[in-house]
Amino acid sequence: MIRCEKLTAGYGGKEVLHEISWEAEKGKFTAVIGPNGSGKSTLLKTILGQTKVFGGDICLEGKPIKEYGSRELAKRIAYLPQHRDDAGISVGRMVLHGRFPYIAFPRRYTVADEEKVGQALKKMGIEALRDKPVSELSGGEKQKVYLAMALVQDAPVFLLDEPAASLDLSCQLSLTAMLKTLSREGKTVVAVTHDLNYALQYADKLLIINKGRAVQYGTTEETLETGVMEKVFGLHISRIRDDNGQTHYCFAVR
């Protein structure tokens, strides 16, 4: 779905990413992990055209991403950044913003657009919040609103930067369940996270970035077998299986 080939990119004249070759797979939930400052968020921003590409290629659906106009790209990629300014508008109005790529100027929303908003709110379990200002919501509620806004974009790709950060466990599990559902429905879901336990527990695939380079991509099992994760993070990682067959991960400094 998204393929990077020897991608080199950064800010100004400084390279942050160095010759990254990687493909985000359709129908998979991929977690992008790595030490602080390794280039995880920069990778997402580069795919979106927000950073300077010095070399290499990015293709979306087999077509160079630079050949997409902003409106066409927004129809294909939904992006949830790590930080957003609180909005004073209502939840329903915020979610409706996800339909912008499909609305010509002057913006006039249709009954179909409003129906999509209702469906997204229901899917996220926040129908009762429709008329409430976004600025008055909790962190977990806001994340659900932003994901609902992404849902109405009808995009096949979801890029998320630290989607579960600062959320309580219940909200994390709820959000993760939705991301897993999206991937099972055929969406390409890529989430940057600093939480290794979260990545190991829930992602279908792991992409490890270290010092701006992609050093490992594979399933949890494949990644742990290589020992790359332990080396990059300076950790010992052990697995424990409980009586219900659930695997848990324990970490210790090497």
Side-chain angles (χ1 to χ4, degrees):
M1 180 59 71
I2 296 177
R3 181 172 55 82
C4 300
E5 192 70 36
K6 295 186 177 180
L7 176 64
T8 299
Y11 305 94
K14 182 182 178 182
E15 287 187 12
V16 177
L17 303 177
H18 312 293
E19 296 193 336
I20 286 185
S21 294
W22 160 71
E23 183 172 354
E25 301 174 50
K26 180 180 179 180
K28 299 294 183 183
F29 174 23
T30 298
V32 182
I33 59 176
N36 290 338
S38 60
K40 303 184 297 296
S41 296
T42 300
L43 176 60
L44 300 192
K45 292 177 180 178
T46 303
I47 291 171
L48 292 162
Q50 297 178 7
T51 59
K52 177 71 174 178
V53 174
F54 300 123
D57 297 297
I58 309 171
C59 289
L60 173 63
E61 298 176 339
K63 176 180 174 180
I65 208 163
K66 60 187 176 184
E67 295 182 9
Y68 287 93
S70 58
R71 185 182 293 270
E72 289 305 309
L73 192 61
K75 291 178 181 179
R76 290 167 172 80
I77 299 179
Y79 173 53
L80 276 71
Q82 184 174 358
H83 301 293
R84 289 181 181 269
D85 294 330
D86 282 347
I89 63 175
S90 70
V91 167
R93 202 69 186 170
M94 173 62 80
V95 175
L96 196 55
H97 285 179
R99 297 302 297 165
F100 274 14
Y102 302 91
I103 308 297
F105 185 84
R107 292 191 175 100
R108 292 191 179 94
Y109 297 106
T110 66
V111 173
D113 293 324
E114 295 286 356
E115 287 177 348
K116 284 184 178 292
V117 169
Q119 291 165 3
L121 293 175
K122 183 177 181 178
K123 196 167 188 175
M124 295 307 304
I126 53 174
E127 293 172 283
L129 302 178
R130 185 166 191 152
D131 297 322
K132 193 169 183 179
V134 176
S135 57
E136 295 180 7
L137 303 182
S138 68
E141 289 171 334
K142 287 177 183 176
Q143 284 294 73
K144 290 181 180 180
V145 170
Y146 297 138
L147 186 53
M149 183 171 65
L151 287 175
V152 301
Q153 278 183 243
D154 282 340
V157 178
F158 283 72
L159 302 182
L160 308 98
D161 197 350
E162 298 286 1
S166 303
L167 300 183
D168 61 37
L169 183 57
S170 177
C171 287
Q172 283 188 27
L173 293 175
S174 176
L175 180 64
T176 302
M178 179 54 62
L179 297 180
K180 295 287 284 185
T181 297
L182 289 171
S183 64
R184 287 195 296 269
E185 292 174 350
K187 305 288 188 181
T188 301
V189 180
V190 180
V192 164
T193 180
H194 69 278
D195 188 333
L196 299 186
N197 189 62
Y198 176 89
L200 288 167
Q201 198 79 257
Y202 301 113
D204 299 311
K205 292 290 189 74
L206 302 174
L207 172 66
I208 302 178
I209 297 180
N210 189 34
K211 298 179 181 178
R213 299 185 183 277
V215 295
Q216 171 66 27
Y217 176 61
T219 64
T220 295
E221 192 67 33
E222 291 167 347
T223 300
L224 290 176
E225 284 181 0
T226 65
V228 170
M229 181 184 268
E230 291 184 309
K231 183 177 180 181
V232 167
F233 290 96
L235 298 171
H236 286 297
I237 303 174
S238 56
R239 286 172 283 185
I240 300 173
R241 192 175 297 273
D242 63 25
D243 293 338
N244 296 318
Q246 180 71 40
T247 301
H248 303 275
Y249 299 90
C250 299
F251 305 90
V253 177
R254 296 176 69 175

